[in-house]
Amino acid sequence: MDAQGRGRADNIDPADQWVLNPNTGEYELRLSPSAAQPPVPGPRRPSSRDGGATGGRTRQPAGEDRQSPRARGADVPAPRSARRRNAEPEAPQGRRAARRPVKKKSTAKKVLLWTGGSMAFVLVAVTAAGYLYIKHLNDNITSVSDDGASTGGFSKDEAINILLIGTDKRTGKGNEGYGDSGSVGHADTTILLHLSKDRSNATALSIPRDLIVDIPDCPTQQADGSRKVITGSHGVRFNESLGQDDRTPSCTMRTVTELTGIKPDDFMVADFNAVKSLTEAVGGVEVCLAKDIDDKDSHLKLSKGTHNISGEQALAFVRTRHSVGFGGDLSRIGLQQQFLSALMRKLKGNSTLSSPTKMVKLAEAGTKALTVDDKLDSISKLKDLGLEMGKLNPKNLTFATVPVVDNPTEKVHSTVVLNEGKAPAVFDAIKNDVSFSDVKKKQKAAKDAQAARLKGAKAPASEVRVRILNGGAAAGSAQAVLSWLQNDAGVTKSENSGNAPAPLGRTTLEYGPDQAAQARRLAALMGLSGAAMKPGKSVTNSQGLPAMTLTLGKDFKGAGVPITPSAKAPDVDKSTADKVKCAA
């Protein structure tokens, strides 16, 4: 839009510059090349006279299309009143001559159409401020290498796994008084956020900082661009996967993959300042206590009941542990989950989404407070992630914690270990995209689509051509499957192609459109479910012929042993983001 037609550049409403493209379904910034672009959104003010602030320039007619040549400042004929008297009258130009008023959506509705906003996802909203402001926010973002530990970034058409890491680094004004002021920034609070493929539900799985784990070797990019392998550790606290021995967030990623079999797509890291600045930006969040709390360690002093907290008080709330539950880290996780639920409810509320002031504060706070991986290092990418997250209803966001038990090797319990009877079911449910909440309609459609892949004609075993890769199964599994297929199942056109490029949590069979009959035969022989079937493309085998790809994941149990994931949610303590739960 030409700024000369609307008064001074700083009078432009940024939301009016975004237009829905019917071809893509997304909002696009529409400015003329010469238009002045405001650094921050400002209120729309009417011009004082028809000429606006430009000293007598003709004001754009109220009913004229915003994207018409005249609105874009193009070279078009002058109005009839300005032409010479003897000029020939201009013929009507169809419907455009009628100049019907364009019905405008309110700013609040425009924002609601293209942003969902929750947790770090609030960054979506900032793109309404124009190019210069977007550039400013991009400059705010701090990113570090994922060192090859991620999947390469989230995909819009797949399930999404984001690793959220809260560090105990005490940098910043007022943070010195919290515990170890010299902390290098350990993984103090870690949540694996899983968003389902159909976007109907999500699971936020908390990983206790005192959980005993094995930290793998971590190839890490140094500040000077060189690479260094940081040696792993056996039987140490999970929080040492970050900060200790110069480990970066990519090492926490690798540790999560080692622990759960789930490879995160991206990570976001927040320090103490993030909690304070984000809560101040939204005007505080509402939390509930079942009893009075006066914790001298965290500096939290609140009475029983509901409170709106922000800033220092919010930080004290998420750091409190001695005054709730059993006084340990697991009790504090409950408070953190309540806090995040409250933050999501606030971000999804109309009072936040419809307030330009709050949106700008959120944009500034979020981009300054978060560190992200290098696959998520721009407002554009964060916007795309936010749009996916925004499809979620808070009632279908479930909070749970990795099942653990006290460390049996300790007389005085200070650490925990995996509950081997329950934890695998939790990890498998996330790998298999099983909802922890009561979501039926969309999941039924997805399961029906998976089941349909197994229906139809099956090719003879002798016609099945497949490459076998080991993507996380026990050593020797690919060769064992090859022997079984050739000697026992009649699949003679098979070969062992070694290890997969990256580990997988579950076994998959990828095949091209003309290989569906072969895929159904192999699935029947291997006991694969429809969820393991991956329509895609064929690859070339060692003989130069098209073949399917069977990748054995960590769920592989042996040659010929059926691999059927459970569709039932695991039995664990959980809560959903739509409900207020008072901490006791």
Side-chain angles (χ1 to χ4, degrees):
M1 182 183 299
D2 191 340
Q4 294 180 356
R6 291 282 300 276
R8 295 201 321 264
D10 60 354
N11 288 344
I12 300 173
D13 185 345
D16 287 346
Q17 302 168 27
W18 287 86
V19 179
L20 180 66
N21 185 332
N23 296 322
T24 64
E26 296 187 358
Y27 278 82
E28 297 178 354
L29 190 63
R30 299 288 176 85
L31 295 174
S32 70
S34 61
Q37 298 168 344
V40 293
R44 178 177 175 179
R45 298 193 294 269
S47 56
S48 59
R49 60 182 185 276
D50 289 351
T54 58
R57 290 186 177 92
T58 303
R59 183 175 58 181
Q60 178 182 331
E64 185 163 335
D65 188 297
R66 294 183 184 273
Q67 298 304 311
S68 68
R70 186 179 307 284
R72 294 193 300 267
D75 186 10
V76 294
R80 293 184 61 179
S81 60
R83 298 178 194 165
R84 292 185 303 173
R85 292 183 181 180
N86 60 352
E88 291 293 328
E90 182 177 351
Q93 299 181 13
R95 298 194 177 195
R96 291 182 65 85
R99 293 184 178 178
R100 295 179 181 177
V102 178
K103 187 176 180 181
K104 290 171 46 182
K105 293 182 177 68
S106 69
T107 300
K109 288 183 179 179
K110 286 180 180 177
V111 173
L112 284 168
L113 279 171
W114 60 281
T115 180
S118 68
M119 299 169 68
F121 326 138
V122 299
L123 301 177
V124 178
V126 303
T127 52
Y131 170 77
L132 293 179
Y133 192 54
I134 293 172
K135 184 177 184 302
H136 161 70
L137 293 172
N138 278 331
D139 291 341
N140 281 350
I141 298 173
T142 299
S143 65
V144 295
S145 176
D146 71 350
D147 296 315
S150 76
T151 62
F154 77 92
S155 298
K156 293 182 181 180
D157 55 352
E158 296 292 340
I160 297 174
N161 292 299
I162 305 294
L163 191 62
L164 306 175
I165 307 171
T167 78
D168 59 356
K169 201 166 187 177
R170 273 86 169 160
T171 57
K173 183 179 178 181
N175 295 331
E176 303 85 0
Y178 293 98
D180 179 12
S181 59
S183 174
V184 293
H186 297 102
D188 203 44
T189 301
T190 305
I191 294 176
L192 180 62
L193 179 66
H194 173 82
L195 182 65
S196 69
K197 184 175 181 178
D198 63 7
R199 308 297 185 252
S200 68
N201 66 92
T203 302
L205 183 67
S206 294
I207 303 175
R209 68 170 193 177
D210 295 326
L211 174 62
I212 297 299
V213 298
D214 291 336
I215 300 175
D217 291 346
C218 299
T220 307
Q221 181 174 306
Q222 304 299 295
D224 61 1
S226 62
R227 298 190 68 80
K228 172 185 176 183
V229 177
I230 300 175
T231 305
S233 300
H234 175 71
V236 297
R237 280 180 165 88
F238 176 85
N239 69 343
E240 293 184 22
S241 64
L242 178 65
Q244 197 78 16
D245 299 325
D246 296 326
R247 293 184 176 112
T248 65
S250 67
C251 195
T252 306
M253 255 190 175
R254 295 185 193 278
T255 305
V256 169
T257 302
E258 183 82 11
L259 173 70
T260 66
I262 302 164
K263 193 170 188 177
D265 299 304
D266 295 282
F267 65 72
M268 294 181 175
V269 183
D271 58 15
F272 281 9
N273 295 317
V275 175
K276 294 191 289 188
S277 59
L278 286 173
T279 52
E280 288 171 348
V282 298
V285 298
E286 189 174 278
V287 296
C288 181
L289 296 175
K291 64 179 182 180
D292 296 343
I293 287 184
D294 187 359
D295 192 328
K296 295 180 180 179
D297 292 309
S298 70
H299 312 305
L300 180 68
K301 186 174 182 179
L302 287 175
S303 60
K304 175 182 177 180
T306 302
H307 300 271
N308 187 277
I309 61 173
S310 67
E312 292 287 348
Q313 200 172 45
L315 177 59
F317 183 85
V318 299
R319 291 202 52 73
T320 291
R321 59 181 174 131
H322 297 300
S323 301
V324 291
F326 295 104
D329 184 52
L330 294 179
S331 299
R332 179 168 61 180
I333 284 176
L335 284 181
Q336 293 167 348
Q337 292 175 347
Q338 183 192 158
F339 170 81
L340 291 174
S341 295
L343 180 58
M344 183 172 181
R345 290 194 299 273
K346 190 64 176 283
L347 292 171
K348 293 284 283 188
N350 290 341
S351 63
T352 298
L353 294 176
S354 61
S355 169
T357 301
K358 287 183 179 179
M359 294 302 251
V360 172
K361 286 183 178 179
L362 281 169
E364 290 286 349
T367 52
K368 289 179 179 177
L370 296 173
T371 296
V372 299
D373 66 88
D374 55 358
K375 306 298 186 298
L376 199 61
D377 60 354
S378 71
I379 290 297
S380 175
K381 294 174 183 176
L382 289 167
K383 180 207 75 170
D384 289 341
L385 176 59
L387 288 170
E388 298 305 310
M389 299 294 183
K391 299 173 183 177
L392 179 68
N393 189 319
K395 72 178 183 180
N396 294 325
L397 169 58
T398 303
F399 286 92
T401 303
V402 172
V404 295
V405 295
D406 288 330
N407 190 341
T409 65
E410 297 175 337
K411 291 183 179 180
V412 178
H413 298 303
S414 61
T415 62
V416 293
V417 296
L418 278 185
N419 182 331
E420 296 294 350
K422 291 185 176 182
V426 172
F427 301 151
D428 285 344
I430 294 177
K431 291 177 200 174
N432 297 316
D433 207 20
V434 175
S435 174
F436 282 51
S437 60
D438 187 18
V439 180
K440 296 179 179 179
K441 188 174 181 180
K442 286 187 177 181
Q443 286 206 334
K444 183 179 184 301
K447 289 175 183 176
D448 289 346
Q450 292 173 357
R453 296 170 191 165
L454 298 173
K455 296 178 181 178
K458 299 180 180 67
S462 60
E463 294 181 7
V464 174
R465 188 180 288 110
V466 61
R467 296 166 64 246
I468 306 164
L469 299 174
N470 191 331
S477 294
Q479 185 58 41
V481 169
L482 177 66
S483 299
W484 181 81
L485 286 176
Q486 293 185 342
N487 299 326
D488 299 329
V491 183
T492 56
K493 298 176 182 178
S494 52
E495 62 183 47
N496 179 358
S497 296
N499 292 327
L504 293 180
R506 60 182 181 179
T507 299
T508 62
L509 174 61
E510 183 173 5
Y511 55 95
D514 59 344
Q515 297 173 315
Q518 293 183 47
R520 286 191 284 268
R521 172 59 65 192
L522 188 59
L525 292 171
M526 293 286 298
L528 300 179
S529 68
M533 307 283 280
K534 185 179 178 182
K537 58 183 180 180
S538 62
V539 294
T540 302
N541 65 10
S542 61
Q543 297 177 335
L545 299 173
M548 300 182 295
T549 300
L550 174 66
T551 305
L552 308 177
K554 291 188 175 182
D555 63 342
F556 179 71
K557 299 178 176 64
V561 179
I563 307 171
T564 305
S566 173
K568 183 180 179 181
D571 182 19
V572 293
D573 291 335
K574 54 192 177 184
S575 62
T576 52
D578 64 317
K579 297 178 181 177
V580 178
K581 185 177 181 180
C582 297

